[in-house]
Amino acid sequence: MTPRGTASTSRPAVRKAAGTRLSGIDAARGLALLGMMATHVFPTFESNAQLTPTWVGLVFSGRASALFAVLAGIGLALSTGKQQPLQGPQLWAARRGIALRALVVGAVGLAIGGLEVNIAIILVHYAVLFLCVLPFLGLDVKRLLVLALGWVLAAPALAFLLRPWLLAAVPTLQLGHNPQWGDLSTPAVLLGDLFLTGYYPVLQWIAYLLIGLAIGRLALTSAAVPALLLAAGTVVAVLAKWLGVVMMEDWGGRAALQASLLDPSYPLESLLQVNLAGVDQTGSAWWLASSAPHSGTTLDLLHTSGVAAAVVGACLLLGRLVQGGGWDFLLPLRGAGAMTLSFYTAHLCVMAALYGQPLPSGWTLEGIYWAQAGAILALGAVFAALVWRGPLEWVAHAANQLGRYQPARIR
């Protein structure tokens, strides 16, 4: 499954090129995929009036998808110069390649957006995020960190101000479903949903890619940087979550929001722990003080970014152990992480086939999840061992190479 037209490239050379990948980054991407799948298969709330959070909701909701987005930024940094960002014609060529790859990802997302499945599909948002960060690919780590911090602080407040104003002007600014090809006929509604009112609002989520770009510009192959990411990410995640809980529970935020909802029985406490997506976060500035998953607030962005940085740091440290020799225990995870587009799409197709149907005799949700996870890890290990690209990764890579192609100048 290697690209055609590369007859001069020997198999040892391909293996050497594959070996230059940071195994810890691919492993972290594999973890993000498995975490997102868990929130798709298992319920995140119990089926009672209080919507009691499940362990899956408490552990993975908001964090797995944020890790996925931060890793996207890291991947962009690694493909555009690592510590020394590309400049000049090389940078423009990289931007063209990334833009074409984003179009492939977006096309896949629009194609599967029509699946009948109770899952918020991230691919179209993912593609738009790629396009939105193209102007920032030439920035160094210091500028990226400053920009990311400013974005984390400003974007949630801007979204809070814009959402009610836009919804008042255009009430249909929410799709209410995953983006699909037919939505291209109403571009204003589609863009409004993608950037502000949808499940993964691009306006705030750009922060994740900026943070990922900054991380990817660090010396990730050193021993100190992964340890720093693990420590700093853990501290930021804990402090952001702690401050959010303090403001909600000790400073009266949750009580004020509960009163603004005009429904004493509304299970706000559970939603603040698991997922605020779909909740009308207008009418009270206290919404901005929450650290709830999928709230898109400053504290939510800080907490989930901190978790992502810590996971990346931990996986990079594990990757160093693998590189030191011995059994490559990360092979299944990094194989899965190198094929997330193909595996994510296949997973959604499986879930669509099962949607609305009774579970097969003898099957449980645990069985459905572990059957998919096991297949993904096994296939990922095989593809990684053989240095193959996944089918959709092959198409995306071809688009990227096409965009980066620069004809030789005649001297």
Side-chain angles (χ1 to χ4, degrees), residues 322-387:
V322 170
Q323 292 171 355
W327 176 49
D328 186 358
F329 57 88
L330 289 180
L331 182 67
L333 264 183
R334 65 180 179 85
M339 295 176 56
T340 49
L341 181 58
S342 295
F343 284 145
Y344 181 80
T345 302
H347 160 70
L348 292 171
C349 292
V350 170
M351 296 307 295
L354 296 173
Y355 182 68
Q357 303 295 325
L359 291 179
S361 178
W363 279 84
T364 62
L365 291 178
E366 289 81 2
I368 291 173
Y369 175 79
W370 287 113
Q372 293 184 66
I376 284 173
L377 292 173
L379 286 173
V382 171
F383 273 65
L386 296 174
V387 201

Side-chain angles (χ1 to χ4, degrees), residues 34-373:
L34 294 178
M36 291 178 72
M37 287 171 52
T39 64
H40 299 163
V41 176
F42 298 106
T44 54
F45 296 101
E46 300 287 354
S47 56
N48 53 35
Q50 294 77 32
L51 293 182
T52 304
T54 65
W55 72 269
V56 170
L58 291 173
V59 173
F60 295 113
S61 182
R63 298 180 181 92
S65 53
L67 173 59
F68 201 59
V70 169
L71 285 162
I74 295 175
L76 291 177
L78 295 178
S79 68
T80 55
K82 300 179 182 178
Q83 292 173 258
Q84 298 295 327
L86 300 177
Q87 300 297 329
Q90 287 185 314
L91 176 59
W92 282 104
R95 284 171 172 157
R96 291 194 303 270
I98 292 167
L100 288 182
R101 185 173 64 167
L103 292 180
V104 170
V105 173
V108 174
L110 291 171
I112 63 176
L115 292 176
E116 189 174 353
V117 60
N118 188 27
I119 295 172
I121 300 175
I122 198 174
L123 292 181
V124 177
H125 305 78
Y126 200 59
V128 174
L129 285 168
F130 273 35
L131 298 176
C132 287
V133 298
L134 291 179
F136 311 125
L137 294 179
L139 299 181
D140 60 25
V141 63
K142 292 182 180 179
R143 290 182 174 86
L144 285 168
L145 286 173
V146 171
L147 181 61
L149 179 60
W151 211 286
V152 166
L153 293 174
L158 182 60
F160 179 78
L161 295 173
L162 286 177
R163 269 196 308 266
W165 178 72
L166 287 174
L167 287 172
V170 188
T172 58
L173 207 61
Q174 293 175 294
L175 289 176
H177 57 257
N178 287 311
Q180 48 194 273
W181 287 113
D183 295 319
L184 295 178
S185 63
T186 55
V189 177
L190 175 60
L191 290 174
D193 188 272
L194 289 174
F195 277 86
L196 280 167
T197 61
Y199 201 85
Y200 308 104
V202 168
L203 179 60
Q204 292 108 300
W205 276 58
I206 288 174
Y208 290 132
L209 269 76
L210 292 174
I211 291 168
L213 277 171
I215 292 174
R217 296 282 180 234
L218 300 173
L220 298 181
T221 56
S222 71
V225 169
L228 177 63
L229 289 174
L230 176 57
T234 300
V235 170
V236 170
V238 171
L239 287 179
K241 180 59 69 174
W242 170 80
L243 184 55
V245 171
V246 167
M247 287 198 285
M248 285 292 104
E249 303 302 328
D250 297 341
W251 295 3
R254 181 163 65 89
L257 293 176
Q258 193 79 56
S260 71
L261 293 170
L262 303 177
D263 182 2
S265 64
Y266 192 82
L268 180 61
E269 182 178 6
S270 295
L271 296 177
L272 287 171
Q273 296 179 68
V274 175
N275 194 340
L276 275 189
V279 177
D280 182 17
Q281 299 178 58
T282 59
S284 174
W286 276 110
W287 290 113
L288 291 172
S290 163
S291 60
H294 289 296
S295 62
T297 64
T298 293
L299 291 177
D300 174 34
L301 295 175
L302 285 173
H303 172 74
T304 48
S305 297
V307 171
V311 171
V312 168
C315 288
L316 286 171
L317 291 173
L318 290 175
R320 291 180 65 83
L321 294 178
V322 170
Q323 292 171 355
W327 176 49
D328 186 358
F329 57 88
L330 289 180
L331 182 67
L333 264 183
R334 65 180 179 85
M339 295 176 56
T340 49
L341 181 58
S342 295
F343 284 145
Y344 181 80
T345 302
H347 160 70
L348 292 171
C349 292
V350 170
M351 296 307 295
L354 296 173
Y355 182 68
Q357 303 295 325
L359 291 179
S361 178
W363 279 84
T364 62
L365 291 178
E366 289 81 2
I368 291 173
Y369 175 79
W370 287 113
Q372 293 184 66

